[in-house]
Amino acid sequence: MFSDIGPFELLVVALVALAVLSVPTLVARRRRVQRLRLLVVVNVIGAFTGLF
């Protein structure tokens, strides 16, 4: 399934994934959440572990 993905397609998928994973951080920043740094840390950890 993924054997014929080229470098450009991989880059596009990575950028889309990054955009999707940054949505909670952007929403929290817009709402002026007090513990924004904690939320960013949880998002980053979740992104690298695949939990999100």
Side-chain angles (χ1 to χ4, degrees):
M1 180 173 164
F2 294 113
S3 62
D4 50 333
I5 290 181
F8 179 72
E9 289 88 2
L10 186 62
L11 179 64
V12 169
V13 168
L15 290 175
V16 169
L18 183 63
V20 169
L21 290 172
S22 66
V23 169
T25 302
L26 296 174
V27 170
R29 185 173 183 203
R30 180 94 167 164
R31 291 184 179 185
R32 300 179 194 261
V33 172
Q34 291 179 354
R35 296 185 178 183
L36 182 62
R37 290 182 183 161
L38 178 63
L39 184 103
V40 171
V41 168
V42 169
N43 281 341
V44 169
I45 291 172
F48 283 120
T49 60
L51 293 176
F52 297 112

